[in-house]
Amino acid sequence: MLEDQIIKTEQQLKELKEKRDNVNVAHACFDIGNVLVQVNLETFTKELKKVIPSTHDPMFFLEYLQATQDIGLSTVQQALRAQHDIFEAEKVQILLEAWNATIEPNEMMLRFLENLRSDGVKMALLSNIGMEHATHLRKTIPDLFSNMIEHLSYEVGARKPSKIYFQSFLLDHQNFKGAIYIDDREDNLKSGKKYSLKTYKFCLDEILLMSLGKQKAELDKLKGYILDKKNNSLYDDI
C-alpha cells in the first residue's frame, strides 16, 4: 500500500511539473504548404495535360486527388487509374515525380524553425498532405520533422478545416490548447480558432515577394507573437 501511494504521489508530482512547465513554454502549430515549403503546381499540371483528354480540366483531377489523397483514401497512382485509366508505368512515374516536385524546400523557413527550437518552442505540424508528399519531404528535408509532433491528414483520416481534425489533435495533445496556429488559408484558421488555437495568417509566397529586409521583419514579428503570450491578440486577424 505504501509503495502504491509513493508511486501515485510521484506521478502526481510529475503531472504538476509538466503543467507548470507547459505554462512557461511557447507552443506553435504550423501548416506545411505555402507556410514552411513553397508550392508550385505548374509542372505537374503541364505533365498531366499531356496524358489526359484535351477536353478535361486538370484542376478537376487536382481537386479529386487532394480530397482523396489528403485523407489516405488514395495514392497518386490510384487516382490516375480511377480518373483517367492511366496504367503505364513510365507515365505514372513521370507524373509522380512531377507531383513531388510541386513542393519545394525553403531554407529561410527551415532556419526559422531551428531558431524556434533553440528557444525551446514546442511545435506541431498540422497539414493537409498525402502519403507521397509526406514521404518525399521526410527523405529530402528531414529537418522539417525534427522534434515535431505530426498531425498529418492522411494519417488522421480527416483534413482541415473539418471539426474532427482539430478536435483529434487537441485530444491527443492537450498541452497545445491555446497554442499559436500558423496557416495561409482563412477557412482553416477560422476553424482552428473555434478550438482555442490562436491564429496567425502567413503566406510564404507573399513573403518571398518582399525585400530581404521586409522578409526578416515579418519573421521577427511572427517569432515575437509565438514567444510573447502576453500579446496573443496582437496579430490575430482572423
Side-chain angles (χ1 to χ4, degrees):
M1 288 293 292
L2 179 58
E3 185 179 348
D4 291 342
Q5 186 61 40
I6 291 173
I7 293 172
K8 184 178 180 180
T9 302
E10 289 177 345
Q11 181 63 31
Q12 289 173 335
L13 288 172
K14 182 181 178 182
E15 290 174 358
L16 285 171
K17 183 179 183 300
E18 288 175 351
K19 288 180 180 179
R20 184 192 65 197
D21 291 345
N22 187 55
V23 171
N24 299 319
V25 173
H27 291 71
C29 308
F30 287 89
D31 181 27
I32 295 179
N34 200 28
V35 173
L36 298 177
V37 301
Q38 295 166 256
V39 179
N40 187 340
L41 295 170
E42 184 177 348
T43 300
F44 179 76
T45 302
K46 182 179 178 180
E47 292 296 333
L48 184 62
K49 284 181 177 179
K50 294 178 182 179
V51 296
I52 65 174
S54 58
T55 54
H56 290 204
D57 186 346
M59 292 308 298
F60 285 117
F61 176 77
L62 282 170
E63 290 174 2
Y64 170 83
L65 175 61
Q66 290 179 312
T68 57
Q69 191 193 40
D70 280 357
I71 57 174
L73 290 179
S74 74
T75 63
V76 172
Q77 183 174 3
Q78 289 167 342
L80 289 169
R81 290 177 177 178
Q83 291 291 297
H84 294 295
D85 293 325
I86 298 174
F87 289 86
E88 294 177 40
E90 184 177 353
K91 289 181 179 179
V92 170
Q93 185 60 32
I94 290 172
L95 287 166
L96 180 56
E97 289 176 2
W99 177 248
N100 284 336
T102 61
I103 47 176
E104 304 169 13
N106 183 271
E107 289 299 324
M108 177 182 72
M109 296 310 297
L110 288 175
R111 290 195 300 271
F112 181 70
L113 291 180
E114 189 56 38
N115 189 271
L116 292 178
R117 289 188 188 100
S118 67
D119 284 324
V121 179
K122 303 297 183 183
M123 294 182 285
L125 297 173
L126 272 60
S127 178
N128 287 343
I129 193 170
M131 181 180 67
E132 283 92 348
H133 271 170
T135 301
H136 178 67
L137 285 174
R138 286 192 177 102
K139 288 180 179 178
T140 55
I141 45 174
D143 288 350
L144 179 66
F145 299 89
S146 177
N147 295 321
M148 284 282 195
I149 290 171
E150 299 173 24
H151 196 70
L152 309 180
S153 61
Y154 84 98
E155 295 177 333
V156 177
R159 68 201 298 258
K160 300 176 293 185
S162 70
K163 178 168 63 175
I164 194 171
Y165 181 89
F166 292 100
Q167 286 178 328
S168 59
F169 172 69
L170 292 170
L171 183 65
D172 289 341
H173 307 285
Q174 295 182 26
N175 56 327
F176 274 81
K177 186 176 182 180
I180 312 304
Y181 167 44
I182 301 101
D183 202 305
D184 65 313
R185 291 179 59 98
E186 291 193 10
D187 54 345
N188 293 338
L189 291 166
K190 286 178 180 177
S191 185
K193 191 171 184 179
K194 292 178 182 177
Y195 297 96
S196 78
L197 296 175
K198 296 177 175 60
T199 58
Y200 191 105
K201 188 175 182 181
F202 183 93
C203 301
L204 182 57
D205 56 357
E206 295 178 4
I207 300 296
L208 293 176
L209 294 175
M210 300 176 181
S211 66
L212 291 178
K214 287 186 177 180
Q215 288 179 23
K216 183 180 183 304
E218 287 296 320
L219 291 180
D220 285 345
K221 185 171 75 171
L222 175 55
K223 181 179 178 181
Y225 185 45
I226 292 171
L227 295 179
D228 188 359
K229 292 188 175 183
K230 294 177 182 178
N231 294 329
N232 277 338
S233 62
L234 189 56
Y235 308 115
D236 193 349
D237 53 6
I238 296 299

